[in-house]
Amino acid sequence: MKHKFVKHAGSRRLLLIFAGWGMDSNPFEHVSRPGYDTMVVWDYRELTPDWTAVSGYEEIALIAWSMGVYAASMTIHAIRHKITAAIAVNGTLTPVDNLRGIPEAIYEGTAAGLDERSLKKFFRRMCGDRATTDHFMSAAPQRAASELVDELHAIYPEPWFANPKVSDWDRAVIGRDDAIFPACNQQRAWEGTPLTVVDRPHYIDLQEIADAYIIDKERAAGKFDAGRETYDANTPVQQAIVEAMSEDIVRCHVDRQLSTAGTVCLEIGSGTGSLTRRLASMMPKGFLYTWDIGSTAPEGCDPTRFTSCDAELKICRTPGERYDAIATASTVQWFNSPRRFIAECHRVLRPGGVLMLTAFVRGNMHELTAASGISLTVPDERQWEAMIPAGFETLSWESADYDLSFDNPTDVLRHLRLSGVNGLDRGSHKVSGTSIVRRYPRMLDGRCHLSYRTIRMILRKKDNV
C-alpha cells in the first residue's frame, strides 16, 4: 500500500481516502474539507499499512471508493478508535461476488485481458459518459497495466490468513448507473447499513461525498460563538424543542431520577444554556457537567464543570459507566456519525441511566433546500430508530414539525444568520444569497415558510447490559 498527503496543513483531523483499484493519488488531489488534512491510500498488491503517518491525528473521517472499501475493511483495525465516520462509495466488503460484488466472470475476464487499451475502455465504463470520462482522464492515474494485473490477483481470491473485515460502516453511497459494482449487488451487500442511492456511474467525484457527509467542525464552532448573543431571541423552534423535552422528562418520571442526591448528568451541546438551566433546576443535589464546541460556558452552568471540546471525540475517550444521564438537544446532526455517538452514550451510561436526545430529521428546512440545492445530510426517522443499540429500552419517542412564517426570503436568511449554523456552506457547493432569494418558494399569500422536522427520544440503558 502507498499513501500521499494531498493536503497537509497540520490539522488535528484527517480525511482518509481509500482509492479504487488501478488508482494513485492523481484523481483525488483536489479533495479536501476545511479543518482536515487529506491523505490518499492506493495500491493493494499488499495489504500491509504503516499507520505511523496518521498517529498524530485526533480524528479520522474515512471515505473509501470501489475496491478501496474492501482494502479499508481489511486494514483499518489499528486506527478504528480514531474514526468518527466511515463512508463506502460504490464498493462492498465482498468485492468479487456474483450477488454482492463484481460478478466473478467479469472480474476474471478483466484480469486475463488487461492491457493499456482495455484499461482505457474500463475507465470509460467506470465514468459512464464522455464528460465524466474527460474530467477523470484530466487527472488520470499513472500506473502500468502489468502492475494492475498483479493488484487484481492479490485481491481475488482472498488469502486464507486475512484479518477479519471491519464491517462497521456508517453509510454506503450507491451509484444507480454503476457498471462495475452492480447497484443491486451493492444493495444486497449493505443490508442493514444506511444507504444513499444517487444517479451516478461507478466513478463519483469524492469531493461531493466529503461535502455531503464530513462536517466542517471548525466553522460550526465559530458560527455558534458568533451567534451566541442573538441565538435565544431567534430560535423559537429550538426553544420549543427544549420545552417539549422537559415535558417528556417529567412525563417519563426521569425528573425523579435526576433529583436523586449524587446523580451525575452530562449535557452535550449546551450552547446558550436553554436546556442547561432546566436540567440544573431538576437536580439540586446532583452534578451537571456540560460540553460544547463553543468556547463559553452557558448561563446557569457551574463554569468549573464546563468543557469546550469536540464531544464526538471526547465521549470516545470517556471511561465506561461514568454518567447517570446524558442530555443533548439539536446537536448530534452536527456530528460525523450520530450512530457511533449514540453507541458511545450507551457505553458511558451506568445501568439504568437515561439518554435524552433531540435532533432534526430528513426534510428539515426543505424550502431552503429547494432554493439552494444544499441540505445538511440528516437521517430520516426510521434511520434514527435503527441507530439505537439493543441495550437501550425506549421510554419516549416523539416527532414534531414546526413551521415559521416570514414576510420574504430575506427575512428567512436573516433568521438563519442570527440563529447560527444553518448548513448552507457545503464545501465546494456555494450558492449566493441573491440566488436563494430569487428561488425561495412562496405561498399563495406571498409569505415564505421554513419547516423544521424534529424527533425527541428518551432511552434507558437496560440493567443487564
Side-chain angles (χ1 to χ4, degrees), residues 243-257:
E243 175 69 29
M245 174 181 266
S246 300
E247 293 174 358
D248 292 342
I249 290 171
V250 173
R251 177 171 53 83
C252 295
H253 308 298
V254 174
D255 57 326
R256 298 179 186 175
Q257 182 172 340

Side-chain angles (χ1 to χ4, degrees), residues 429-441:
H429 189 172
K430 300 181 186 297
V431 178
S432 69
T434 302
S435 174
I436 293 174
V437 168
R438 185 176 67 252
R439 298 168 56 187
Y440 202 92

Side-chain angles (χ1 to χ4, degrees), residues 103-377:
E104 295 175 8
I106 293 176
Y107 189 92
E108 292 169 353
T110 301
L114 190 67
D115 55 24
E116 297 294 342
R117 182 172 174 274
S118 62
L119 180 60
K120 291 180 180 179
K121 183 178 179 180
F122 173 85
F123 287 156
R124 288 195 297 270
R125 289 183 63 237
M126 179 184 81
C127 293
D129 57 48
R130 180 64 178 271
T132 304
T133 301
D134 290 345
H135 170 72
F136 174 79
M137 294 305 295
S138 67
Q142 302 299 310
R143 296 178 63 188
S146 58
E147 180 179 307
L148 304 190
V149 172
D150 292 339
E151 188 172 5
L152 287 173
H153 289 318
I155 293 169
Y156 175 79
E158 294 183 55
W160 66 270
F161 52 85
N163 290 331
K165 296 171 188 172
V166 174
S167 58
D168 186 23
W169 292 74
D170 293 291
R171 180 167 298 276
V173 179
I174 299 173
R176 196 187 309 274
D177 302 319
D178 192 329
I180 308 301
F181 278 82
C184 57
N185 284 11
Q186 293 188 58
Q187 287 182 304
R188 276 190 289 266
W190 291 111
E191 184 178 359
T193 299
L195 301 178
T196 299
V197 180
V198 296
D199 293 323
R200 294 287 192 278
H202 183 66
Y203 172 73
I204 299 177
D205 187 341
L206 296 189
Q207 186 64 58
E208 296 180 28
I209 306 301
D211 289 345
Y213 297 106
I214 308 303
I215 297 294
D216 181 353
K217 295 182 178 181
E218 301 296 337
R219 177 177 171 81
K223 283 207 149 188
F224 279 129
D225 273 342
R228 180 173 292 273
E229 293 184 3
T230 57
Y231 181 85
D232 287 342
N234 292 277
T235 53
V237 170
Q238 285 81 350
Q239 306 307 316
I241 291 171
V242 168
E243 175 69 29
M245 174 181 266
S246 300
E247 293 174 358
D248 292 342
I249 290 171
V250 173
R251 177 171 53 83
C252 295
H253 308 298
V254 174
D255 57 326
R256 298 179 186 175
Q257 182 172 340
L258 294 175
S259 66
T260 302
T263 294
V264 181
C265 179
L266 169 66
E267 183 193 3
I268 293 175
S270 51
T272 58
S274 298
L275 180 57
T276 311
R277 291 183 286 275
R278 292 175 182 269
L279 291 172
S281 67
M282 294 179 183
M283 45 186 309
K285 300 178 182 179
F287 303 91
L288 175 60
Y289 294 87
T290 55
W291 296 351
D292 195 84
I293 199 168
S295 59
T296 306
E299 294 183 13
C301 162
D302 182 343
T304 64
R305 295 179 185 154
F306 169 76
T307 303
S308 176
C309 64
D310 181 340
E312 190 172 21
L313 299 182
K314 187 171 177 60
I315 198 166
C316 294
R317 295 153 174 74
T318 299
E321 300 189 2
R322 178 77 174 269
Y323 298 103
D324 299 297
I326 298 174
T328 180
S330 306
T331 297
V332 297
Q333 66 274 357
W334 297 109
F335 293 165
N336 278 330
S337 178
R339 179 185 63 86
R340 293 171 192 259
F341 169 76
I342 292 173
E344 288 296 317
C345 286
H346 181 271
R347 183 183 62 81
V348 303
L349 280 170
R350 293 168 181 155
V354 292
L355 171 62
M356 302 162 281
L357 184 151
T358 76
F360 297 112
V361 301
R362 185 171 299 169
N364 190 58
M365 296 187 182
H366 63 84
E367 302 91 347
L368 186 63
T369 300
S372 67
I374 304 172
S375 64
L376 181 65
T377 305

Side-chain angles (χ1 to χ4, degrees), residues 382-396:
R382 178 187 60 80
Q383 290 169 336
W384 278 113
E385 186 174 7
M387 294 181 195
I388 308 305
F392 274 127
E393 63 174 318
T394 302
L395 301 184
S396 177

